[in-house]
Amino acid sequence: STDYITLGYDPDLLKILALGTSGPGRAMWEFDDVGTAWVLRHVIPDAVGGGIPAMCHDPVRRRWLISEPISNTFWSYDSTTGMWIPLTGFPTGWTESMVWDAVSQAIVVAQAVDSPPKLNMWEFDGTTFVSSVLPALPFHAPRGASVGLWSTLAYSPSQNASFLVNNISVGSGGTGG
């Protein structure tokens, strides 16, 4: 079992992968649809923190882009060899979601930043992160409230568009009013 997990389909392996970043299930797992069980695929490096991960498969480069927000790191992961490569030059912030953009041949990354509160969009071409042509999306919360973001990206090849659902959870926090 693991506290934080994310799922993705790997077209190279023809398997569903599950990345667990905390607890005894801290590893990359694959679903064995014949035996209907989760099977250990690869152990993850210690440098990958224990937060809620985001991941997206790059079918051109045949690698996964993985973000872990607690250690604020990005990784390139090869599911066939088990190789984890730490990336540099990435934007800082809490990665909310990622999606493959087939037209631009890049992974679109949605990333929350606290000050000022906004959602930045980036593209990763397998080598570098560049600011997306999409503008940063501001979000607002009542004064004194704590804000949690859970954003989901989806790509539509027929419309050549990425769609973003931004769910903002506002809870009580602090004593301001």
PDB file of all heavy atoms in Angstrom, residues 121-139:
ATOM      1  N   MET A 121       1.649  27.458 -17.178  1.00  0.00           N
ATOM      2  CA  MET A 121       1.659  26.388 -18.166  1.00  0.00           C
ATOM      3  C   MET A 121       3.046  26.338 -18.813  1.00  0.00           C
ATOM      4  O   MET A 121       3.599  27.365 -19.189  1.00  0.00           O
ATOM      5  CB  MET A 121       0.595  26.640 -19.232  1.00  0.00           C
ATOM      6  CG  MET A 121      -0.808  26.850 -18.672  1.00  0.00           C
ATOM      7  SD  MET A 121      -1.450  25.439 -17.749  1.00  0.00           S
ATOM      8  CE  MET A 121      -1.810  24.340 -19.078  1.00  0.00           C
ATOM      9  N   TRP A 122       3.591  25.114 -18.926  1.00  0.00           N
ATOM     10  CA  TRP A 122       4.913  24.898 -19.515  1.00  0.00           C
ATOM     11  C   TRP A 122       4.808  23.797 -20.553  1.00  0.00           C
ATOM     12  O   TRP A 122       3.907  22.987 -20.516  1.00  0.00           O
ATOM     13  CB  TRP A 122       5.914  24.473 -18.436  1.00  0.00           C
ATOM     14  CG  TRP A 122       6.101  25.478 -17.366  1.00  0.00           C
ATOM     15  CD1 TRP A 122       5.375  25.611 -16.218  1.00  0.00           C
ATOM     16  CD2 TRP A 122       7.061  26.513 -17.340  1.00  0.00           C
ATOM     17  NE1 TRP A 122       5.826  26.660 -15.480  1.00  0.00           N
ATOM     18  CE2 TRP A 122       6.873  27.239 -16.144  1.00  0.00           C
ATOM     19  CE3 TRP A 122       8.073  26.907 -18.202  1.00  0.00           C
ATOM     20  CZ2 TRP A 122       7.649  28.323 -15.802  1.00  0.00           C
ATOM     21  CZ3 TRP A 122       8.858  27.996 -17.856  1.00  0.00           C
ATOM     22  CH2 TRP A 122       8.644  28.686 -16.671  1.00  0.00           C
ATOM     23  N   GLU A 123       5.784  23.756 -21.444  1.00  0.00           N
ATOM     24  CA  GLU A 123       5.911  22.646 -22.374  1.00  0.00           C
ATOM     25  C   GLU A 123       7.299  22.045 -22.217  1.00  0.00           C
ATOM     26  O   GLU A 123       8.282  22.767 -22.054  1.00  0.00           O
ATOM     27  CB  GLU A 123       5.702  23.109 -23.817  1.00  0.00           C
ATOM     28  CG  GLU A 123       4.267  23.510 -24.099  1.00  0.00           C
ATOM     29  CD  GLU A 123       4.034  23.896 -25.548  1.00  0.00           C
ATOM     30  OE1 GLU A 123       4.954  23.759 -26.376  1.00  0.00           O
ATOM     31  OE2 GLU A 123       2.912  24.341 -25.836  1.00  0.00           O
ATOM     32  N   PHE A 124       7.358  20.716 -22.255  1.00  0.00           N
ATOM     33  CA  PHE A 124       8.628  20.001 -22.151  1.00  0.00           C
ATOM     34  C   PHE A 124       8.807  19.183 -23.420  1.00  0.00           C
ATOM     35  O   PHE A 124       7.991  18.308 -23.732  1.00  0.00           O
ATOM     36  CB  PHE A 124       8.630  19.092 -20.918  1.00  0.00           C
ATOM     37  CG  PHE A 124       9.913  18.339 -20.740  1.00  0.00           C
ATOM     38  CD1 PHE A 124      11.069  19.000 -20.376  1.00  0.00           C
ATOM     39  CD2 PHE A 124       9.962  16.971 -20.932  1.00  0.00           C
ATOM     40  CE1 PHE A 124      12.270  18.305 -20.208  1.00  0.00           C
ATOM     41  CE2 PHE A 124      11.149  16.270 -20.763  1.00  0.00           C
ATOM     42  CZ  PHE A 124      12.301  16.937 -20.399  1.00  0.00           C
ATOM     43  N   ASP A 125       9.882  19.469 -24.155  1.00  0.00           N
ATOM     44  CA  ASP A 125      10.112  18.817 -25.443  1.00  0.00           C
ATOM     45  C   ASP A 125      11.051  17.615 -25.351  1.00  0.00           C
ATOM     46  O   ASP A 125      11.565  17.142 -26.348  1.00  0.00           O
ATOM     47  CB  ASP A 125      10.650  19.826 -26.453  1.00  0.00           C
ATOM     48  CG  ASP A 125      12.020  20.369 -26.082  1.00  0.00           C
ATOM     49  OD1 ASP A 125      12.617  19.918 -25.068  1.00  0.00           O
ATOM     50  OD2 ASP A 125      12.510  21.258 -26.793  1.00  0.00           O
ATOM     51  N   GLY A 126      11.259  17.131 -24.159  1.00  0.00           N
ATOM     52  CA  GLY A 126      12.181  16.018 -23.961  1.00  0.00           C
ATOM     53  C   GLY A 126      13.550  16.472 -23.515  1.00  0.00           C
ATOM     54  O   GLY A 126      14.357  15.677 -23.037  1.00  0.00           O
ATOM     55  N   THR A 127      13.828  17.765 -23.663  1.00  0.00           N
ATOM     56  CA  THR A 127      15.116  18.331 -23.273  1.00  0.00           C
ATOM     57  C   THR A 127      14.957  19.540 -22.371  1.00  0.00           C
ATOM     58  O   THR A 127      15.608  19.636 -21.344  1.00  0.00           O
ATOM     59  CB  THR A 127      15.926  18.753 -24.525  1.00  0.00           C
ATOM     60  OG1 THR A 127      16.002  17.643 -25.412  1.00  0.00           O
ATOM     61  CG2 THR A 127      17.312  19.195 -24.154  1.00  0.00           C
ATOM     62  N   THR A 128      14.111  20.474 -22.781  1.00  0.00           N
ATOM     63  CA  THR A 128      13.986  21.724 -22.035  1.00  0.00           C
ATOM     64  C   THR A 128      12.523  22.064 -21.751  1.00  0.00           C
ATOM     65  O   THR A 128      11.618  21.637 -22.462  1.00  0.00           O
ATOM     66  CB  THR A 128      14.604  22.903 -22.815  1.00  0.00           C
ATOM     67  OG1 THR A 128      13.980  22.983 -24.090  1.00  0.00           O
ATOM     68  CG2 THR A 128      16.098  22.741 -22.983  1.00  0.00           C
ATOM     69  N   PHE A 129      12.339  22.852 -20.681  1.00  0.00           N
ATOM     70  CA  PHE A 129      11.036  23.397 -20.334  1.00  0.00           C
ATOM     71  C   PHE A 129      10.961  24.806 -20.898  1.00  0.00           C
ATOM     72  O   PHE A 129      11.883  25.596 -20.710  1.00  0.00           O
ATOM     73  CB  PHE A 129      10.867  23.484 -18.810  1.00  0.00           C
ATOM     74  CG  PHE A 129      10.695  22.156 -18.145  1.00  0.00           C
ATOM     75  CD1 PHE A 129      11.795  21.438 -17.690  1.00  0.00           C
ATOM     76  CD2 PHE A 129       9.435  21.615 -17.953  1.00  0.00           C
ATOM     77  CE1 PHE A 129      11.641  20.219 -17.064  1.00  0.00           C
ATOM     78  CE2 PHE A 129       9.266  20.397 -17.330  1.00  0.00           C
ATOM     79  CZ  PHE A 129      10.372  19.697 -16.884  1.00  0.00           C
ATOM     80  N   VAL A 130       9.887  25.112 -21.592  1.00  0.00           N
ATOM     81  CA  VAL A 130       9.666  26.474 -22.073  1.00  0.00           C
ATOM     82  C   VAL A 130       8.278  26.910 -21.635  1.00  0.00           C
ATOM     83  O   VAL A 130       7.357  26.098 -21.559  1.00  0.00           O
ATOM     84  CB  VAL A 130       9.813  26.598 -23.607  1.00  0.00           C
ATOM     85  CG1 VAL A 130      11.244  26.359 -24.041  1.00  0.00           C
ATOM     86  CG2 VAL A 130       8.876  25.665 -24.329  1.00  0.00           C
ATOM     87  N   SER A 131       8.159  28.197 -21.340  1.00  0.00           N
ATOM     88  CA  SER A 131       6.875  28.734 -20.944  1.00  0.00           C
ATOM     89  C   SER A 131       5.897  28.558 -22.099  1.00  0.00           C
ATOM     90  O   SER A 131       6.215  28.821 -23.248  1.00  0.00           O
ATOM     91  CB  SER A 131       7.022  30.214 -20.593  1.00  0.00           C
ATOM     92  OG  SER A 131       5.793  30.723 -20.132  1.00  0.00           O
ATOM     93  N   SER A 132       4.724  28.072 -21.790  1.00  0.00           N
ATOM     94  CA  SER A 132       3.718  27.813 -22.804  1.00  0.00           C
ATOM     95  C   SER A 132       3.197  29.113 -23.377  1.00  0.00           C
ATOM     96  O   SER A 132       3.258  30.169 -22.751  1.00  0.00           O
ATOM     97  CB  SER A 132       2.563  27.017 -22.191  1.00  0.00           C
ATOM     98  OG  SER A 132       1.513  26.886 -23.113  1.00  0.00           O
ATOM     99  N   VAL A 133       2.650  29.047 -24.571  1.00  0.00           N
ATOM    100  CA  VAL A 133       2.031  30.223 -25.170  1.00  0.00           C
ATOM    101  C   VAL A 133       0.740  30.583 -24.447  1.00  0.00           C
ATOM    102  O   VAL A 133       0.218  31.675 -24.604  1.00  0.00           O
ATOM    103  CB  VAL A 133       1.735  30.000 -26.675  1.00  0.00           C
ATOM    104  CG1 VAL A 133       3.020  29.854 -27.441  1.00  0.00           C
ATOM    105  CG2 VAL A 133       0.830  28.800 -26.890  1.00  0.00           C
ATOM    106  N   LEU A 134       0.245  29.650 -23.626  1.00  0.00           N
ATOM    107  CA  LEU A 134      -0.960  29.941 -22.848  1.00  0.00           C
ATOM    108  C   LEU A 134      -0.610  30.891 -21.711  1.00  0.00           C
ATOM    109  O   LEU A 134       0.442  30.762 -21.088  1.00  0.00           O
ATOM    110  CB  LEU A 134      -1.548  28.655 -22.270  1.00  0.00           C
ATOM    111  CG  LEU A 134      -2.009  27.615 -23.279  1.00  0.00           C
ATOM    112  CD1 LEU A 134      -2.389  26.338 -22.564  1.00  0.00           C
ATOM    113  CD2 LEU A 134      -3.178  28.151 -24.077  1.00  0.00           C
ATOM    114  N   PRO A 135      -1.476  31.844 -21.403  1.00  0.00           N
ATOM    115  CA  PRO A 135      -1.194  32.754 -20.294  1.00  0.00           C
ATOM    116  C   PRO A 135      -1.348  32.037 -18.952  1.00  0.00           C
ATOM    117  O   PRO A 135      -2.037  31.021 -18.859  1.00  0.00           O
ATOM    118  CB  PRO A 135      -2.264  33.840 -20.452  1.00  0.00           C
ATOM    119  CG  PRO A 135      -3.382  33.148 -21.156  1.00  0.00           C
ATOM    120  CD  PRO A 135      -2.739  32.129 -22.072  1.00  0.00           C
ATOM    121  N   ALA A 136      -0.679  32.563 -17.936  1.00  0.00           N
ATOM    122  CA  ALA A 136      -0.852  32.041 -16.579  1.00  0.00           C
ATOM    123  C   ALA A 136      -2.305  32.269 -16.176  1.00  0.00           C
ATOM    124  O   ALA A 136      -2.910  33.285 -16.515  1.00  0.00           O
ATOM    125  CB  ALA A 136       0.085  32.745 -15.613  1.00  0.00           C
ATOM    126  N   LEU A 137      -2.867  31.314 -15.473  1.00  0.00           N
ATOM    127  CA  LEU A 137      -4.257  31.404 -15.064  1.00  0.00           C
ATOM    128  C   LEU A 137      -4.338  31.789 -13.599  1.00  0.00           C
ATOM    129  O   LEU A 137      -3.953  31.010 -12.731  1.00  0.00           O
ATOM    130  CB  LEU A 137      -4.952  30.053 -15.288  1.00  0.00           C
ATOM    131  CG  LEU A 137      -4.868  29.508 -16.705  1.00  0.00           C
ATOM    132  CD1 LEU A 137      -5.365  28.076 -16.750  1.00  0.00           C
ATOM    133  CD2 LEU A 137      -5.662  30.386 -17.653  1.00  0.00           C
ATOM    134  N   PRO A 138      -4.839  32.994 -13.277  1.00  0.00           N
ATOM    135  CA  PRO A 138      -4.921  33.392 -11.871  1.00  0.00           C
ATOM    136  C   PRO A 138      -6.077  32.684 -11.178  1.00  0.00           C
ATOM    137  O   PRO A 138      -7.039  32.283 -11.803  1.00  0.00           O
ATOM    138  CB  PRO A 138      -5.176  34.894 -11.948  1.00  0.00           C
ATOM    139  CG  PRO A 138      -5.861  35.081 -13.256  1.00  0.00           C
ATOM    140  CD  PRO A 138      -5.313  34.025 -14.181  1.00  0.00           C
ATOM    141  N   PHE A 139      -5.940  32.497  -9.879  1.00  0.00           N
ATOM    142  CA  PHE A 139      -7.064  32.003  -9.086  1.00  0.00           C
ATOM    143  C   PHE A 139      -7.113  32.812  -7.813  1.00  0.00           C
ATOM    144  O   PHE A 139      -6.119  33.370  -7.364  1.00  0.00           O
ATOM    145  CB  PHE A 139      -6.976  30.502  -8.811  1.00  0.00           C
ATOM    146  CG  PHE A 139      -5.724  30.074  -8.084  1.00  0.00           C
ATOM    147  CD1 PHE A 139      -5.655  30.077  -6.709  1.00  0.00           C
ATOM    148  CD2 PHE A 139      -4.612  29.645  -8.794  1.00  0.00           C
ATOM    149  CE1 PHE A 139      -4.519  29.674  -6.044  1.00  0.00           C
ATOM    150  CE2 PHE A 139      -3.462  29.228  -8.136  1.00  0.00           C
ATOM    151  CZ  PHE A 139      -3.418  29.248  -6.756  1.00  0.00           C
TER     152      PHE A 139
END
